Amino acid sequence: MDLNTGEIAWRVPLGGATGAWNLGGSMVTAGGLVFIGGTNDSRFRAFDAQDGKQLWETPLEASGYATPMTYVGTKTKKQFVVIAAGGGGFLSKHGVVSDVLAAYALP
């Protein structure tokens, strides 16, 4: 959403060409990256907040039905993005369950 105009800035299918269920929220960084992992295809994605272009995707051990978090390492001063990848549930594509907390450092 363009918060200045109230208009939808962009739309993209989430989880492949036709889209997938979304069971988690998104998170936007100050650098303009939108992270989301709430699909049933066990993927974690980053989009450009300006135009919606997918910039990055990685597999998770299970679906990340959660809202991503971010923090800055006290020693490294690097920003990390974290998502809980628990999977499971009736919408889970493969029924995979996990207890992983996956963290990724931003460049």
Side-chain angles (χ1 to χ4, degrees), residues 5 17 22 25 29 31 39 46 52 57 63 70 73 75 79-80 83 95 101:
T5 65
N22 177 25
T29 68
T39 57
E57 177 181 309
S63 295
T70 187
K75 292 182 181 178
Q79 182 177 7
F80 293 85
I83 188 159
L101 187 61

Side-chain angles (χ1 to χ4, degrees), residues 15-70:
T18 59
W21 290 93
N22 177 25
L23 297 174
S26 61
M27 182 203 66
V28 183
T29 68
L33 298 174
V34 178
F35 286 91
I36 190 161
T39 57
N40 65 349
D41 63 358
S42 301
R43 301 277 178 189
F44 193 35
R45 296 174 174 87
F47 297 89
D48 184 307
Q50 292 297 312
D51 60 15
K53 180 181 176 187
Q54 184 174 313
L55 303 173
W56 177 78
E57 177 181 309
T58 191
L60 296 169
E61 286 194 33
S63 295
Y65 300 144
T67 301
M69 304 166 277
T70 187

